[in-house]
Amino acid sequence: MSGAVDLSSLKQPAATDVPGDHAVTEANFAAFQTVSADNHPIHYNVEYCRERGHPGPLAHGFQVLCFTAAGAGTFAHVIGDSLIAFIEQSSKFLKPVYPGDTLYPSLAVAELTPQRTTGIVTIAVTVHNQKNELILTGEQKYLLKKCNPEAPVSRAR
C-alpha cells in the first residue's frame, strides 16, 4: 500500500526527535496574540502582570503547545504519506513561560494501537524550560495507514 508505514518502526527514538531548543521572544508573543486574537492583558501588559506577581507577560498555553508539533521533527518524515489524521491532543500546563525563556520539547512514542488497516500512534510530549523545570505534559494521537494490513475477512455467502 503506497503511503503506509510499518507501525513497529515507530518505536525508534529518531521517529520523534524535535530539533534543539526554542527561545521564546516578545516577537513570538506578539505573533501569537495576532493569530489567536486573545487579548487578555496577562499575555501582553507588563504592569498588569507585575501587579499579579509575574515578572512579565505569560505565554499563551497554545503558544507553548505549538513547540510540540510533531511535524517540526523527524516524525513527519518517518510516517510520510501514511498520515490519515491528527485525531487527539491533551496537555497540562504546569508552569508559566515568559519572554526570554528557552523551551526544550521532547516527543516519544508511548503506545501503538494496531487496527485492521490502520493504527493509532500515541506520542507522549513534554516541554522543559532552561531551568529543567517541567512546564508541559501531554499526548497526541495520530491515525496512520498500515503498510501490511491484515487480509480482509471474507464473508460466508
Side-chain angles (χ1 to χ4, degrees):
M1 177 187 287
S2 176
V5 69
D6 177 3
L7 290 179
S8 65
S9 71
L10 297 178
K11 279 293 187 185
Q12 301 169 4
T16 54
D17 290 346
V18 176
D21 56 351
H22 302 276
V24 182
T25 66
E26 290 181 15
N28 296 135
F29 275 63
F32 197 85
Q33 182 183 4
T34 299
V35 169
S36 69
D38 182 340
N39 62 2
H40 193 284
I42 199 78
H43 301 303
Y44 69 87
N45 185 315
V46 175
E47 289 309 313
Y48 179 91
C49 295
R50 287 185 180 152
E51 289 169 2
R52 285 149 184 82
H54 297 285
L58 278 72
H60 297 73
F62 287 119
Q63 178 183 353
V64 175
L65 184 60
C66 287
F67 290 106
T68 68
T74 57
F75 181 70
H77 303 285
V78 171
I79 64 171
D81 291 336
S82 68
L83 177 65
I84 297 171
F86 176 34
I87 59 172
E88 189 176 324
Q89 187 283 318
S90 66
S91 55
K92 292 182 183 180
F93 304 98
L94 306 172
K95 295 218 179 247
V97 173
Y98 302 105
D101 282 350
T102 301
L103 304 182
Y104 300 87
S106 176
L107 284 68
V109 174
E111 185 177 358
L112 301 171
T113 308
Q115 300 175 119
R116 198 173 124 235
T117 60
T118 62
I120 297 172
V121 177
T122 302
I123 304 289
V125 300
T126 60
V127 178
H128 288 80
N129 65 14
Q130 70 278 4
K131 298 174 188 173
N132 202 32
E133 297 171 321
L134 182 63
I135 62 165
L136 179 146
T137 63
E139 69 177 28
Q140 302 170 359
K141 292 185 180 185
Y142 298 87
L143 181 64
L144 305 177
K145 290 182 269 185
K146 287 171 61 177
C147 68
N148 294 318
E150 299 162 2
V153 177
S154 60
R155 295 186 195 169
R157 291 185 185 220

